[in-house]
Amino acid sequence: MDRVATRKRKDRLDSRIGQNIRTEREMRKMSREELAEALDLTVSHMGLIERGERGATAVTLEKLAYVFDIKIDALFSEPERGKIKLNEGNSSSLESNRRKITSMITRLNENESEFLIHVIKGLINLHPTRSINEKE
């Protein structure tokens, strides 16, 4: 691969990783300042990474995975476009949706998580072909 192609590939990867970092940060309602502090980076450097203008080091990627409580490879995945699609026929889509749900749940306090459990059980019971009793 020539240098120009390699550079373009690196730029696309940096951009994708930056988008994923921003998405994960926003899902957790973290400010860029909070994330930069957790990673021991400056806010301006964090902004460069999120915009894909600067690549994240391996150490920074490892710290991000720890802070977000995700597998490091999630930072490399293609960003989802549009709405969440629940499609059990596609295991990668299902896994992606599970990661998104898990990420959202980690931000809940005890009362909110108990409320969510009641809501989920109610929704499952409303489904015409499933009931919560089948799951338990």
Side-chain angles (χ1 to χ4, degrees):
M1 194 178 298
D2 67 11
R3 286 181 186 222
V4 173
T6 299
R7 183 67 190 176
K8 285 182 181 179
R9 188 172 184 190
K10 180 192 179 308
D11 290 347
R12 282 193 306 272
L13 185 58
D14 288 344
S15 179
R16 181 185 319 150
I17 291 169
Q19 288 173 349
N20 289 336
I21 291 168
R22 183 176 183 175
T23 299
E24 291 290 335
R25 176 180 60 77
E26 289 176 345
M27 283 186 350
R28 288 165 177 74
K29 297 182 180 179
M30 290 179 79
S31 69
R32 187 174 289 148
E33 292 79 11
E34 291 170 320
L35 182 56
E37 184 177 328
L39 300 173
D40 197 27
L41 298 174
T42 65
V43 176
S44 61
H45 191 144
M46 191 71 249
L48 290 170
I49 291 171
E50 284 189 356
R51 290 189 301 275
E53 296 172 15
R54 175 90 26 100
T57 66
V59 171
T60 298
L61 293 172
E62 183 180 51
K63 288 179 182 179
L64 281 160
Y66 177 78
V67 168
F68 292 150
D69 192 27
I70 60 174
K71 292 182 179 179
I72 199 167
D73 63 336
L75 297 170
F76 292 83
S77 66
E78 288 290 336
E80 296 289 323
R81 301 277 188 229
K83 295 180 181 177
I84 295 175
K85 296 175 186 167
L86 295 175
N87 178 3
E88 290 190 28
N90 182 342
S91 63
S92 65
S93 177
L94 180 60
E95 184 60 33
S96 174
N97 288 332
R98 285 180 177 153
R99 278 195 310 266
K100 288 176 187 174
I101 291 167
T102 301
S103 175
M104 287 186 253
I105 290 171
T106 60
R107 293 179 291 158
L108 301 178
N109 65 35
E110 186 176 347
N111 290 336
E112 291 168 332
S113 64
E114 287 177 13
F115 174 76
L116 182 61
I117 289 169
H118 292 292
V119 169
I120 292 170
K121 285 182 178 180
L123 289 171
I124 292 171
N125 282 328
L126 287 174
H127 194 281
T129 60
R130 293 178 121 166
S131 73
I132 196 67
N133 295 330
E134 292 175 1
K135 290 298 212 181
E136 295 181 327

CSV table of all heavy atoms in Angstrom, one decimal, residues 2 10 16 18 20 22 55-57 62 67 71 81 90 96 109 128 132 134:
chain,number,residue,atom,x,y,z
A,2,ASP,N,0.6,2.2,-0.8
A,2,ASP,CA,1.4,3.4,-0.9
A,2,ASP,C,1.1,4.3,0.3
A,2,ASP,O,0.1,4.2,1.0
A,2,ASP,CB,1.3,4.1,-2.3
A,2,ASP,CG,-0.1,4.7,-2.5
A,2,ASP,OD1,-0.9,4.8,-1.5
A,2,ASP,OD2,-0.4,5.1,-3.6
A,10,LYS,N,-5.6,5.7,7.7
A,10,LYS,CA,-5.4,6.1,9.1
A,10,LYS,C,-6.3,7.3,9.4
A,10,LYS,O,-6.9,7.3,10.5
A,10,LYS,CB,-3.9,6.6,9.3
A,10,LYS,CG,-3.7,7.1,10.7
A,10,LYS,CD,-2.3,7.8,10.8
A,10,LYS,CE,-2.1,8.3,12.2
A,10,LYS,NZ,-3.1,9.0,12.8
A,16,ARG,N,-13.3,7.5,12.6
A,16,ARG,CA,-14.3,6.6,13.2
A,16,ARG,C,-14.1,6.4,14.7
A,16,ARG,O,-15.1,6.4,15.4
A,16,ARG,CB,-14.1,5.2,12.5
A,16,ARG,CG,-15.1,4.2,13.0
A,16,ARG,CD,-14.9,2.8,12.4
A,16,ARG,NE,-14.5,2.8,11.0
A,16,ARG,CZ,-13.8,1.9,10.5
A,16,ARG,NH1,-13.3,0.9,11.2
A,16,ARG,NH2,-13.5,1.9,9.2
A,18,GLY,N,-12.8,8.5,16.8
A,18,GLY,CA,-13.2,9.8,17.4
A,18,GLY,C,-14.7,9.9,17.5
A,18,GLY,O,-15.3,10.3,18.5
A,20,ASN,N,-16.8,7.4,17.7
A,20,ASN,CA,-17.2,6.4,18.7
A,20,ASN,C,-17.0,6.9,20.1
A,20,ASN,O,-17.8,6.7,21.0
A,20,ASN,CB,-16.6,5.0,18.4
A,20,ASN,CG,-17.1,4.4,17.2
A,20,ASN,OD1,-18.2,4.6,16.8
A,20,ASN,ND2,-16.3,3.5,16.6
A,22,ARG,N,-16.9,10.1,21.0
A,22,ARG,CA,-17.8,11.1,21.3
A,22,ARG,C,-19.2,10.5,21.6
A,22,ARG,O,-19.9,10.9,22.6
A,22,ARG,CB,-17.9,12.1,20.1
A,22,ARG,CG,-18.9,13.2,20.4
A,22,ARG,CD,-18.9,14.2,19.3
A,22,ARG,NE,-19.8,15.3,19.6
A,22,ARG,CZ,-19.9,16.4,18.9
A,22,ARG,NH1,-19.3,16.5,17.8
A,22,ARG,NH2,-20.8,17.3,19.3
A,55,GLY,N,-4.8,11.0,16.2
A,55,GLY,CA,-5.1,9.6,16.6
A,55,GLY,C,-4.8,9.4,18.1
A,55,GLY,O,-4.0,10.0,18.7
A,56,ALA,N,-5.6,8.5,18.7
A,56,ALA,CA,-5.4,8.2,20.1
A,56,ALA,C,-4.4,7.1,20.2
A,56,ALA,O,-4.3,6.2,19.4
A,56,ALA,CB,-6.8,7.6,20.6
A,57,THR,N,-3.5,7.2,21.2
A,57,THR,CA,-2.5,6.2,21.4
A,57,THR,C,-3.1,4.9,21.9
A,57,THR,O,-4.3,4.9,22.4
A,57,THR,CB,-1.4,6.7,22.4
A,57,THR,OG1,-2.1,6.8,23.7
A,57,THR,CG2,-0.8,8.0,22.0
A,62,GLU,N,-6.8,2.1,25.6
A,62,GLU,CA,-7.0,1.2,26.8
A,62,GLU,C,-7.7,1.9,27.9
A,62,GLU,O,-8.6,1.3,28.5
A,62,GLU,CB,-5.7,0.7,27.2
A,62,GLU,CG,-5.7,-0.4,28.3
A,62,GLU,CD,-4.4,-0.9,28.7
A,62,GLU,OE1,-3.5,0.0,29.0
A,62,GLU,OE2,-4.2,-2.1,28.8
A,67,VAL,N,-12.6,3.3,31.1
A,67,VAL,CA,-13.6,4.4,31.6
A,67,VAL,C,-15.0,4.1,31.1
A,67,VAL,O,-16.0,4.3,31.9
A,67,VAL,CB,-13.1,5.8,31.1
A,67,VAL,CG1,-14.2,6.8,31.3
A,67,VAL,CG2,-11.8,6.2,31.8
A,71,LYS,N,-15.4,-3.2,25.6
A,71,LYS,CA,-14.2,-3.8,25.0
A,71,LYS,C,-13.6,-2.8,24.0
A,71,LYS,O,-14.2,-2.0,23.4
A,71,LYS,CB,-14.6,-5.1,24.2
A,71,LYS,CG,-15.1,-6.2,25.1
A,71,LYS,CD,-15.5,-7.4,24.3
A,71,LYS,CE,-16.0,-8.5,25.2
A,71,LYS,NZ,-16.3,-9.7,24.4
A,81,ARG,N,-25.8,4.3,12.2
A,81,ARG,CA,-26.5,5.5,11.6
A,81,ARG,C,-28.0,5.3,11.9
A,81,ARG,O,-28.6,4.3,11.8
A,81,ARG,CB,-26.3,5.5,10.1
A,81,ARG,CG,-24.9,5.5,9.6
A,81,ARG,CD,-24.4,7.0,9.7
A,81,ARG,NE,-23.1,7.1,9.1
A,81,ARG,CZ,-22.1,7.7,9.7
A,81,ARG,NH1,-22.3,8.3,10.8
A,81,ARG,NH2,-20.9,7.8,9.1
A,90,ASN,N,-29.7,-10.7,13.0
A,90,ASN,CA,-28.4,-10.3,12.7
A,90,ASN,C,-27.6,-10.2,14.1
A,90,ASN,O,-27.8,-9.3,14.8
A,90,ASN,CB,-28.4,-8.9,12.1
A,90,ASN,CG,-27.1,-8.3,11.7
A,90,ASN,OD1,-26.1,-8.8,12.2
A,90,ASN,ND2,-27.0,-7.4,10.8
A,96,SER,N,-24.6,-5.2,19.1
A,96,SER,CA,-24.4,-3.8,19.2
A,96,SER,C,-25.5,-3.1,20.0
A,96,SER,O,-25.3,-2.3,20.8
A,96,SER,CB,-24.4,-3.2,17.7
A,96,SER,OG,-24.4,-1.8,17.8
A,109,ASN,N,-29.3,5.2,38.5
A,109,ASN,CA,-29.1,5.0,39.9
A,109,ASN,C,-30.0,3.8,40.3
A,109,ASN,O,-30.7,3.2,39.5
A,109,ASN,CB,-29.4,6.2,40.8
A,109,ASN,CG,-30.9,6.7,40.6
A,109,ASN,OD1,-31.8,5.9,40.5
A,109,ASN,ND2,-31.1,8.0,40.7
A,128,PRO,N,-47.4,-10.1,22.2
A,128,PRO,CA,-48.4,-11.2,21.9
A,128,PRO,C,-47.9,-12.6,22.0
A,128,PRO,O,-48.7,-13.5,22.2
A,128,PRO,CB,-48.9,-10.8,20.5
A,128,PRO,CG,-47.9,-9.9,19.9
A,128,PRO,CD,-47.2,-9.3,21.0
A,132,ILE,N,-43.4,-12.9,30.5
A,132,ILE,CA,-42.3,-12.9,31.4
A,132,ILE,C,-42.1,-14.3,32.0
A,132,ILE,O,-41.0,-14.7,32.4
A,132,ILE,CB,-42.4,-11.8,32.5
A,132,ILE,CG1,-41.1,-11.5,33.2
A,132,ILE,CG2,-43.5,-12.1,33.5
A,132,ILE,CD1,-40.0,-10.9,32.4
A,134,GLU,N,-42.4,-17.1,30.6
A,134,GLU,CA,-41.6,-17.9,29.7
A,134,GLU,C,-40.1,-17.7,29.9
A,134,GLU,O,-39.3,-18.5,29.7
A,134,GLU,CB,-41.9,-17.6,28.2
A,134,GLU,CG,-43.3,-18.0,27.8
A,134,GLU,CD,-43.5,-17.6,26.4
A,134,GLU,OE1,-42.7,-17.0,25.7
A,134,GLU,OE2,-44.7,-17.8,25.9
